[in-house]
Amino acid sequence: MRSGKGLIITADDFGRHPAINAAVEQGYREGVLDCASLMVGAPYLGEALEIARRNPGLRVGLHLVLSDGHSVLPKTRIPDLVDAQGCFPQNAMAHDGCRFFLLPRVRQQLAAEIRAQFEAFEVSGLTLDHANAHRHFHLHPTVLSLMLSIGKEFGLKAMRLPLERGRQGLLAPWLLLLRWRMRRAGVSFNDQIFGLSQSGAMGQAALMSAIKNLAEGVTEIYLHPAVGHSEPISSSMANYQHSEELAALCSQEVRQALENVGPCLGGFQDLFPVGEE
């Protein structure tokens, strides 16, 4: 789809925490949420799968984790990637990116983990709506190459383009490369995104502003909703306004704004039904 306005509203980090899982179900059943990106190595994966299966209209994709999260493979298989608890480092993306590019042994482990995550999604029995990488790590050329080549074996047809209009900055060359590589691979992608500059702060005002400023083509709005809870879900999300984002998804004002704008709604498989670019 390229003519008219299409909108995908996605919740990231599905499976990471019970509060996130509950918010995904509530946002889908009671709000405007269409889509979720699933962490297949996360501790609450089983609960997330139960939610996805009892809500078959919810579109679910793979949220590939290579930073700030749990691996699928044990440390014995990927010793250069994770700590003793099987967790990827939280603040080492630049360092890891250099190792992915320069060290063949690390690259082999990376490929094994990416394959394991696609395999874990396939085993779930869910239809793969899309793939993206936690913290947009698929902007890294090595990660992107492996996601495209391995993902093709698992029916990958769509990926997230983290392009927020007017905010590319130093990422512009990587975004151009990402778009070119996806188009060359026959993988569909959104034209623009909201949620990048306001990550964790996509409350009602931000969500309504995004809806009212939809451009032609397909837009993805991504959020990190969660139901109320006492402790931070992660130190990397200590300041995220999870409950405000959930409230925005379920807001009647937001629903009315969508009706006024009238975009086509759904997941990637709905807006790109034949894998068009």
Side-chain angles (χ1 to χ4, degrees):
M1 175 180 177
R2 283 291 181 258
S3 59
K5 296 178 181 179
L7 177 60
I8 302 165
I9 302 179
T10 306
D12 278 358
D13 299 354
F14 193 28
R16 188 171 197 173
H17 192 278
I20 294 174
N21 291 345
V24 168
E25 184 162 38
Q26 184 179 342
Y28 173 69
R29 289 186 174 226
E30 303 176 16
V32 298
L33 185 68
D34 300 305
C35 202
S37 294
L38 181 68
M39 291 177 156
V40 294
Y44 298 95
L45 172 66
E47 181 183 74
L49 293 179
E50 291 178 7
I51 290 170
R53 288 166 184 154
R54 66 175 175 253
N55 295 282
L58 176 69
R59 304 309 189 194
V60 182
L62 173 63
H63 198 46
L64 187 81
V65 175
L66 301 169
S67 171
D68 185 29
H70 293 80
S71 66
V72 168
L73 293 177
K75 181 175 176 60
T76 53
R77 291 279 308 279
I78 49 172
D80 294 302
L81 299 184
V82 296
D83 62 18
Q85 288 72 46
C87 291
F88 295 100
Q90 181 175 311
N91 298 309
M93 291 179 67
H95 177 257
D96 284 345
C98 291
R99 296 193 306 142
F100 295 165
F101 186 75
L102 296 172
L103 301 177
R105 103 175 159 274
V106 175
R107 199 157 52 246
Q108 289 170 2
Q109 294 174 34
L110 175 67
E113 175 63 22
I114 291 175
R115 178 174 295 280
Q117 292 193 32
F118 273 103
E119 288 175 344
F121 192 99
E122 183 176 62
V123 167
S124 76
L126 300 177
T127 299
L128 182 64
D129 180 77
H130 63 275
N132 54 55
H134 185 46
R135 304 179 77 178
H136 311 296
F137 220 159
H138 58 299
L139 282 168
H140 190 289
T142 303
V143 175
L144 175 61
S145 293
L146 291 170
M147 283 186 72
L148 289 173
S149 61
I150 295 170
K152 184 176 182 180
E153 301 175 37
F154 294 90
L156 177 64
K157 294 183 173 63
M159 289 180 65
R160 171 183 292 167
L161 176 66
L163 171 63
E164 196 165 55
R165 298 297 185 191
R167 297 184 180 272
Q168 299 97 304
L170 295 175
L171 292 178
W174 307 112
L175 287 163
L176 288 171
L177 177 62
L178 174 59
R179 182 163 51 189
W180 180 78
R181 293 284 302 279
M182 290 192 294
R183 182 176 287 119
R184 186 182 180 194
V187 170
S188 301
F189 52 90
N190 52 295
D191 295 287
Q192 56 269 323
I193 202 165
F194 287 99
L196 188 62
S197 62
Q198 294 178 282
S199 186
M202 289 296 292
Q204 181 167 311
L207 188 53
M208 290 185 68
S209 176
I211 292 168
K212 291 176 181 178
N213 288 285
L214 293 181
E216 292 295 304
V218 175
T219 299
E220 184 183 14
I221 302 175
Y222 76 96
L223 307 92
H224 299 84
V227 299
H229 55 284
S230 58
E231 298 294 329
I233 290 174
S234 164
S235 60
S236 63
M237 298 191 291
N239 297 316
Y240 277 30
Q241 301 167 17
H242 299 290
S243 57
E244 288 85 349
E245 293 195 348
L246 175 58
L249 288 170
C250 298
S251 163
Q252 287 301 315
E253 289 85 352
V254 167
R255 190 182 295 276
Q256 185 61 55
L258 276 175
E259 291 176 0
N260 292 341
V261 174
C264 295
L265 300 171
F268 284 87
Q269 66 177 286
D270 302 299
L271 300 185
F272 299 105
V274 294
E276 59 188 85
E277 297 178 12

